[in-house]
Amino acid sequence: MTLPPVVSSEEWLAARKALLAKEKEATRARDALNAERRALPMVRVEKEYVFDGPTGKASLLDLFEGRHQLIVQHFMFDPSWDEGCPTCSADADSLPHLAHLHARDTSFAAVSRAPLPKIERFKTRMGWTFPWYSSHGTDFNYDFHVTLDESVTPVVYNFRPSTISGEMPGVSVFLRDGDTVYHTYTAYARGTDHLSSFYNLLDLTPFGRQEGWGGMPDLDGLGDTWLRHHDQYRHSGT
């Protein structure tokens, strides 16, 4: 990987100030985009979804846990798999302490198609404590276009017709008004970067996200794959 050029302190400061101007412009653009996102219209959720959770059956309304907002991570975990997707797992590792969300009247839950016993085993292995529900046997994943199967429903991903199939990542937001639930937002693909604080930290570094390692040495001896479950890295100091 090519290293940045070496310059004097004065040259570095001039380059940093030029970048700062662009960062401020991007921050203002992000604030404006966030305001547009908050102003999106919403759609009433008419279908009754029933999930399997640690304490039994749960409706979508139950996932709010009495709060008014709900963020759902569509966690890729096919019923035939024995562990969840490594990328979704890295996103889950990045979650903040949920008290910060709860203090702002917002709940978080992950939802996957895998049966609950598989979810619980993997959740224990990863050391996670956030709420995680199984949508196994429901239309939830298909309706929100994170399980793609043309034999069930026309395949659409990231709001466009697609030829891909299987489990895909996503994040959805819901709002509760009394007992009525509304769908306000969904993002897919790079739109799920909101979940990945480690990406935001790596974006500050010269080597960046290192996706595919980009010529970086294979420090843990596991090959040229970027993301793994956090208990599968070696020689990483963890």
Side-chain angles (χ1 to χ4, degrees):
M1 181 175 287
T2 304
L3 299 179
V6 178
V7 298
S8 68
S9 296
E10 292 77 11
E11 290 173 303
W12 179 88
L13 183 59
R16 180 64 189 94
K17 286 182 176 179
L19 179 62
L20 178 60
K22 294 180 179 179
E23 287 177 334
K24 288 181 175 295
E25 182 180 348
T27 296
R28 289 190 289 269
R30 183 184 62 198
D31 289 344
L33 183 63
N34 288 340
E36 285 191 53
R37 184 184 296 114
R38 292 192 296 271
L40 276 173
M42 57 188 185
V43 177
R44 182 171 180 166
V45 179
E46 302 285 359
K47 188 176 290 187
E48 294 290 333
Y49 299 105
V50 180
F51 307 96
D52 289 321
T55 61
K57 300 294 183 181
S59 66
L60 184 58
L61 183 63
D62 292 329
L63 272 56
F64 283 79
E65 298 179 332
R67 302 179 185 93
H68 283 91
Q69 299 187 128
L70 170 66
I71 300 168
V72 169
Q73 180 188 5
H74 298 289
F75 197 120
M76 296 168 61
F77 198 160
D78 185 275
S80 66
W81 302 349
D82 292 323
E83 56 187 17
C85 159
T87 301
C88 294
S89 297
D91 290 341
D93 287 333
S94 298
L95 288 173
H97 197 293
L98 295 188
H100 299 297
L101 294 178
H102 295 169
R104 289 153 178 83
D105 201 21
T106 302
S107 291
F108 174 90
V111 174
S112 302
R113 256 192 342 123
L116 186 64
K118 284 190 173 184
I119 289 174
E120 291 287 282
R121 283 194 297 269
F122 184 60
K123 181 179 176 182
T124 298
R125 169 186 154 188
M126 293 289 99
W128 295 327
T129 59
F130 57 81
W132 194 352
Y133 295 85
S134 171
S135 60
H136 187 64
T138 77
D139 296 332
F140 186 76
N141 280 51
Y142 300 103
D143 290 347
F144 286 89
H145 304 286
V146 288
T147 298
L148 309 180
D149 184 343
E150 64 180 359
S151 70
V152 177
T153 188
V155 174
V156 174
Y157 188 66
N158 211 8
F159 308 102
R160 296 186 296 269
S162 177
T163 58
I164 58 179
S165 62
E167 303 298 305
M168 298 300 292
V171 58
S172 291
V173 180
F174 302 90
L175 181 67
R176 177 180 69 85
D177 183 15
D179 290 340
T180 303
V181 175
Y182 297 93
H183 174 217
T184 66
Y185 182 76
T186 292
Y188 307 96
R190 285 293 299 276
T192 65
D193 274 7
H194 294 291
L195 299 173
S196 304
S197 61
F198 68 96
Y199 274 147
N200 296 324
L201 291 174
L202 288 171
D203 283 342
L204 302 176
T205 69
F207 291 154
R209 299 187 179 195
Q210 304 168 46
E211 288 151 323
W213 287 92
M216 291 292 290
D218 182 17
L219 297 177
D220 60 9
L222 291 177
D224 195 40
T225 303
W226 169 213
L227 286 173
R228 302 174 188 129
H229 298 119
H230 64 239
D231 61 354
Q232 292 180 339
Y233 292 105
R234 293 201 297 269
H235 313 303
S236 61
T238 57

